[in-house]
Amino acid sequence: MIRFKSLGSGSSGNATVIQVRAGTRLSHLLVDCGLGIRELDKRLGVAGMLADQVDAIFITHEHGDHIGCARQLALRERIPVYMSEGTYGAIGRPDFDGLLRLVCDGEVFEVGGLQVRPFTVPHDAREPLQLTCTDGALRLGVLTDLGHVSPHVLQELAACATLLLECNHDEELLMASSYPAFLKRRVAGAYGHLANSAAATLAQSLLAAGTLRQVVAAHLSEQNNRPELARQALLDALGAGAEIHVADGRTGSEWLSA
């Protein structure tokens, strides 16, 4: 059984806990660590956890709202950290004291009863990875930073029952915002972030494939999106075909089953 909880999702910091039960054993994967360590400890506490219950950390890419306190937490609690070679190079190759695990596109690794499969995405980072994971019964996809949905991304997500999905911006709000022109181009570009409309199109295609039953909108821009806009875009695309949730930028989501 897989459960997951966003601890926060957006420019103020990203972190998601994925929990898997195999028999009587619980294992936890922390996807991204983009908070200060005190704040992360606090949010884990709200989730009913302690940091020493985290079995592994997966870092999607080097941007500050994702890498955050990963090294500090790993060294404090002796937790292995998974990331790409490109991400490691982009953060300056710090010493992880033997805890670093380099992974690449399609290289499956296990955390307790969870099989984790990273895959590359088009985003303006050195070697960004997102992931799917499964306990052998259900598959959860995490897709929070990419500029467009490539055929490779679509293929990797094809069997997901649940998707934590970037709905970064409403296109009209972005164009009307106070962002400078270069930043608008970056966000809306092929290596930036997914608009609500693009996220909804992706979710609709996965629903048509017959496995998707739940979507959690994530990584909403505080300035260029609204929860109700992200929800409505998904609702228009999915109808009653899948449950829709929206992760709050600072408080994340409740615990959800995949």
mmCIF file of all heavy atoms in Angstrom, residues 51 90 116 152:
data_model
loop_
_atom_site.group_PDB
_atom_site.id
_atom_site.type_symbol
_atom_site.label_atom_id
_atom_site.label_comp_id
_atom_site.label_asym_id
_atom_site.label_seq_id
_atom_site.Cartn_x
_atom_site.Cartn_y
_atom_site.Cartn_z
ATOM 1 N N ALA A 51 12.082 12.844 11.460
ATOM 2 C CA ALA A 51 13.028 12.789 10.344
ATOM 3 C C ALA A 51 13.770 11.462 10.282
ATOM 4 O O ALA A 51 14.139 11.003 9.198
ATOM 5 C CB ALA A 51 14.021 13.948 10.444
ATOM 6 N N ALA A 90 25.849 20.267 -10.511
ATOM 7 C CA ALA A 90 25.284 21.614 -10.423
ATOM 8 C C ALA A 90 25.319 22.175 -9.008
ATOM 9 O O ALA A 90 25.355 23.401 -8.829
ATOM 10 C CB ALA A 90 23.845 21.608 -10.934
ATOM 11 N N VAL A 116 11.376 2.497 -7.313
ATOM 12 C CA VAL A 116 11.390 3.883 -7.781
ATOM 13 C C VAL A 116 12.076 3.936 -9.144
ATOM 14 O O VAL A 116 13.178 3.400 -9.315
ATOM 15 C CB VAL A 116 12.143 4.782 -6.787
ATOM 16 C CG1 VAL A 116 12.095 6.240 -7.243
ATOM 17 C CG2 VAL A 116 11.560 4.641 -5.380
ATOM 18 N N HIS A 152 8.548 10.929 -24.081
ATOM 19 C CA HIS A 152 9.184 10.104 -23.047
ATOM 20 C C HIS A 152 8.456 10.243 -21.717
ATOM 21 O O HIS A 152 8.204 9.246 -21.020
ATOM 22 C CB HIS A 152 10.653 10.511 -22.897
ATOM 23 C CG HIS A 152 11.405 9.726 -21.874
ATOM 24 N ND1 HIS A 152 11.530 8.357 -21.920
ATOM 25 C CD2 HIS A 152 12.077 10.117 -20.758
ATOM 26 C CE1 HIS A 152 12.244 7.922 -20.896
ATOM 27 N NE2 HIS A 152 12.585 8.984 -20.164
#
